Every structure is written in C-alpha cells, then in structure tokens.
Amino acid sequence: MEKQPRSVRKEPPAREVPAAPLAKSLLVAALLLIAPVFLLLSAWHSAAGRAETDPSLCPFGYFKMGSVKNCSPWLSCEAINREVRKLKCVGEGAVKKVFLSEWKENKVVLSQLTNSELKEDFLHGLKMLKVLQSKHVVRLLGYCEQQFTILTEYHPLGSLRRLNETLHMPKYKAMNTWHRRLMLAIDYVSIIRYLHSSPLGTLVMCDSNDLDKVLSQYLLTSDFHVVVNDLDALPLVNRSAGRLVKCGHRELWGEFVAPEQRWPYGAEIPFEDALMPPYDEKTDIWKIPDVSNFFLGHVEGSDIVRLHLFNIHAACKKEDPTERPSAQEVLDTYRKVLALLLLREAAVPGTREML
C-alpha cells in the first residue's frame, strides 16, 4: 500500500505594512516634531530680516506709541514743556540726567544735559538718535535743543545690566533658556552690524571701555529684544578719506578694550593723546565675545552654544584688527548656530545630546 504524503499546513503570509502609508506616518511624525522649531525660526527670522525702518516705524520726524495707529510729529520744546510731567530721576551719567516722566498717560523718558561742557556730546547723541531711528534704536518722541532735552520711549525692564536679575524673576523664568539668550546676543550683534553700515557710514560704539559700560548703553524691551539707547559717543570711520577714530583722549587699559586701543609704547613713555594711533570699527568686534558670554549666562545648553561659537569668537580676538571678521560675518554665524542647535534639539531632545 502506497504511503500517502503528509499534508503540510501552510502558515498565512506575514502581513506587510504598505510602504507608502508607513513613510507618510514617519513624515507626519517628523513634521510634528520639528514644526514648533520652524515656527520659532520663522518668527525670529521675520523679525531679524525686516527692513531697518520697518512698518511699525513712522516717517522721519514722526513717532507712534503702543496700540496707536497714527503717527504724531516729534514733540517740540513747547509741547514738552506743556505736556510732559516729570515723575522721578532714574539715572545720571557724565552727560545727562534721566527722568521717568509721563505724557498723555504714557510713561516716557526725559533726558536733560547736566554738564554744559559736554553739550557737544549731548547734541551729537541727539543727532544720532534722529538719523538712526530704526528697529535697533530707542524710539525718539521729541526734543528741545535750546533746553538740551530729549524725550524717548520708556522700557520698564531697563538696561541690559539687569538682564540676569530680570530672567530670574518668576514672571520671566520661562525666558531663561539658551535659545532666548542667544537671540538677545543676535540682537546685540545686529545693532553693531547696523552701526557699521549705517546711513551715515561706519560708526564705532565708543562708550564701551568695560562690560558694565557696554550693558548700560542698551535697553531690554518688554518683548525681549535689545535696542541701543545711548549714542553720545559714536564717531565716524571714513577709510577713503583716511579718517579713523579714537575713543576719548585718555589712556585705555584692560583686556576688555581691543589691543589697538591700548597705549603701544610701554610704561617708559608717558601717555600722550597726540601720539596715540587711531583705529577703526574692529574694536567693536573684539568686544563681541565678552558681551555674548554675558548674554549666554550659565543656563542648561549655554556651554554647547559657546562651543559652537568658539571659532568665530577666536577670530574676533585676533590681535591684528584686519584679521577679525566683520559684524555681518559674526551675525551670519550666530544665526546659523541658532538654527542648527534648535533643529538638533528638536530631533534629540535635551541640550546635552546636541553634540
């Protein structure tokens, strides 16, 4: 009798997931992961890339505040005397005294000359405020040359000297992140770039002999941007005319100021202003790493940011000014680092894993 072959039970084939739906699911997941990053980058890039005189600004000689849609002419001497009420003194420097004031129920800042010997500095600062009105510069509301008075927008968060104090307040703790701090550094470098390519030409930020002095020149806005506030010492470099600058007539020293700003002839020769060589805007570039280091602080992820900025900061610290990058090159690098690290953080959550 012939043996019957044993029947073989066939297993049903393994179910395959169609390739197209799987790829689609992965794509959707990836987009959901990085969408918030792109939204942040888009909002930041929109703010960073808008025209220097953006739509929120008025034509020359006009201003608007808050939610008001219409532009008003800069306040005259008569209007300032009649409509502005001083509230209290909030600061005093070598050139001017600053008062928190009120105009039509709006907080404003009234600055008045305190030293008549420095009136040229005061008027130079006023001229710079008028000509350089942009998203980078505090908003001018009015002035009175005869009384040496300037009226500007009020920013309640104050100067950058208070940045760490502000970011540790419960209200602003959510802002105390490496990316927010880097964006503030980008604002600062954007201002330097704007001054170096201003409508007047290449301007040098001379009130910058130490970190504290630099920070006092800038204000933190309520929406966490940086604007420059004090433009009293802003000389012009004109290479084609052979015009360089000197920041004051006294000897400068310390590691914060650029090497070319220090007396080059040694202690055996007493300092003499007439013998001090002039210099150019690359002094501002030398100071960028120190100011940015302050901005970055010591939050989680800031050490990773510093590592990615190491090469550009090393270039900023070149002894030879001609070897330092331009402010535009520094700005481009900062923006690339921000974009890169935001994308890496989205792909691998946790800033410690961004390397």
Side-chain angles (χ1 to χ4, degrees):
M1 185 174 175
E2 191 172 343
K3 193 174 182 181
Q4 295 292 326
R6 184 182 296 174
S7 63
V8 179
R9 185 181 178 186
K10 292 184 178 180
E11 296 291 335
R15 187 179 179 188
E16 294 182 2
V17 179
L22 177 61
K24 184 177 180 181
S25 298
L26 290 173
L27 178 60
V28 169
L31 289 174
L32 288 174
L33 182 67
I34 63 175
V37 177
F38 278 113
L39 286 174
L40 177 59
L41 281 173
S42 176
W44 166 78
H45 183 73
S46 175
R50 69 183 187 269
E52 305 297 353
T53 51
D54 62 46
S56 69
L57 295 171
C58 296
F60 183 81
Y62 291 79
F63 73 94
K64 60 181 176 181
M65 292 180 63
S67 59
V68 177
K69 294 182 179 180
N70 297 326
C71 294
S72 302
W74 286 336
L75 300 185
S76 63
C77 297
E78 180 185 357
I80 291 174
N81 292 333
R82 184 181 66 250
E83 301 173 11
V84 176
R85 181 170 65 93
K86 290 181 186 177
L87 299 177
K88 63 178 179 178
C89 179
V90 292
E92 184 172 3
V95 179
K96 53 185 177 289
K97 185 177 287 189
V98 180
F99 297 89
L100 175 63
S101 305
E102 192 174 55
W103 175 72
K104 294 186 176 180
E105 300 183 354
N106 295 294
K107 295 287 192 304
V108 293
V109 173
L110 188 71
S111 302
Q112 292 184 317
L113 178 69
T114 54
N115 185 346
S116 60
E117 294 180 1
L118 297 175
K119 63 182 180 182
E120 292 304 318
D121 291 337
F122 184 90
L123 293 175
H124 176 74
L126 172 58
K127 176 186 175 183
M128 295 296 105
L129 269 177
K130 289 193 287 186
V131 175
L132 299 177
Q133 282 295 290
S134 69
K135 68 188 180 78
H136 301 298
V137 178
V138 70
R139 190 166 298 165
L140 179 63
L141 309 179
Y143 63 90
C144 180
E145 286 193 34
Q146 298 93 314
Q147 298 173 7
F148 297 99
T149 299
I150 299 173
L151 193 70
T152 54
E153 188 175 22
Y154 172 61
H155 292 286
L157 296 182
S159 80
L160 289 180
R161 285 189 293 193
R162 299 181 54 214
L163 176 63
N164 287 323
E165 178 186 334
T166 299
L167 288 173
H168 284 96
M169 294 169 61
K171 182 179 179 180
Y172 299 112
K173 272 196 172 182
M175 296 286 196
N176 197 16
T177 61
W178 69 263
H179 35 80
R180 175 60 64 176
R181 284 175 169 273
L182 178 54
M183 288 169 72
L184 291 174
I186 287 172
D187 277 353
Y188 165 72
V189 177
S190 297
I191 293 170
I192 298 299
R193 193 268 306 159
Y194 175 61
L195 295 178
H196 288 185
S197 56
S198 82
L200 296 172
T202 302
L203 298 167
V204 181
M205 194 67 177
C206 264
D207 256 346
S208 56
N209 298 335
D210 58 66
L211 179 60
D212 192 64
K213 186 64 174 175
V214 170
L215 299 175
S216 71
Q217 310 300 306
Y218 298 85
L219 298 173
L220 181 64
T221 67
S222 297
D223 59 349
F224 271 74
H225 284 284
V226 178
V227 293
V228 63
N229 180 54
D230 197 330
L231 301 174
D232 294 346
L234 212 60
L236 178 69
V237 169
N238 188 337
R239 284 191 185 81
S240 60
R243 183 194 303 162
L244 299 178
V245 304
K246 287 192 286 188
C247 291
H249 304 287
R250 297 179 182 179
E251 183 176 2
L252 302 177
W253 58 83
E255 292 300 313
F256 188 82
V257 296
E260 63 271 24
Q261 292 184 280
R262 303 172 208 153
W263 180 243
Y265 303 119
E268 61 276 7
I269 301 177
F271 176 82
E272 187 177 339
D273 183 46
L275 298 178
M276 180 66 199
Y279 34 83
D280 63 16
E281 77 280 3
K282 290 299 182 75
T283 58
D284 289 334
I285 304 299
W286 170 274
K287 297 160 189 173
I288 286 175
D290 298 290
V291 180
S292 290
N293 187 55
F294 168 82
F295 276 117
L296 292 175
H298 300 286
V299 297
E300 184 179 10
S302 62
D303 53 345
I304 304 297
V305 178
R306 286 185 178 90
L307 185 60
H308 282 269
L309 294 177
F310 180 84
N311 288 338
I312 192 68
H313 283 173
C316 291
K317 290 294 188 179
K318 294 279 189 182
E319 289 285 320
D320 183 350
T322 63
E323 295 181 4
R324 294 174 205 153
S326 66
Q328 184 65 61
E329 290 171 319
V330 178
L331 180 59
D332 290 343
T333 301
Y334 275 39
R335 287 173 172 169
K336 287 175 184 175
V337 168
L338 175 64
L340 172 68
L341 294 186
L342 282 173
L343 289 172
R344 285 191 182 180
E345 188 180 57
V348 185
T351 53
R352 293 289 170 187
E353 300 173 37
M354 286 194 291
L355 286 176

